[in-house]
Amino acid sequence: AYGPTLVACPTCGRTSIDLPAIAAEVEKKLAGVAEPIEVAVMGCVVNGPGEARGADVGIAGGKGEGLVFRKGEILRKVPECELVPELFKEIDRIIEERKNQ
Ligand code: SF4
């Protein structure tokens, strides 16, 4: 296993969160994860999930609230401050699911 991979969107005029800060926080927390999993941190809710459909799991930022998604499929809307904790909850869930397969 090679561990997790982090993808962050290149950002653009649509970016509605502090993407570098969130990506840095996610990267730091991913250091504690050994599972090979592709994680996306995207700057907007409109295009983020679709642009990251190749990733196992991801978050997309919005004003005040954002989205958690898997393989481009939106799972739920969460407050902006919960984005990173919710992402890691979902990562734990995926690891559990893989174990039970
Ligand atoms: S995900 Fe949104 S913010 Fe990021 S590059 Fe795509 S359109 Fe721009």
Side-chain angles (χ1 to χ4, degrees):
Y2 51 84
T5 322
L6 175 66
V7 257
C9 84
T11 75
C12 72
R14 278 188 185 275
T15 310
S16 47
I17 47 168
D18 185 354
L19 198 93
I22 292 179
E25 189 187 345
V26 169
E27 189 166 31
K28 218 164 135 194
K29 288 195 169 188
L30 279 176
V33 176
E35 185 78 7
I37 189 168
E38 194 173 329
V39 179
V41 177
M42 308 301 282
C44 75
V45 293
V46 179
N47 296 334
E51 284 180 27
R53 73 176 76 81
D56 294 304
V57 64
I59 47 175
K63 285 195 188 81
E65 53 187 15
L67 301 172
V68 181
F69 57 87
R70 270 202 209 187
K71 300 265 183 199
E73 215 170 288
I74 295 163
L75 300 174
R76 57 188 178 275
K77 206 185 262 187
V78 299
E80 196 179 338
C81 59
E82 291 296 322
L83 273 172
V84 174
E86 286 292 328
L87 172 64
F88 279 84
K89 258 187 221 168
E90 206 56 39
I91 290 172
D92 286 345
R93 240 171 241 156
I94 291 172
I95 294 171
E96 272 308 303
E97 286 172 14
R98 286 181 181 176
K99 267 191 215 151
N100 294 331
Q101 259 166 22

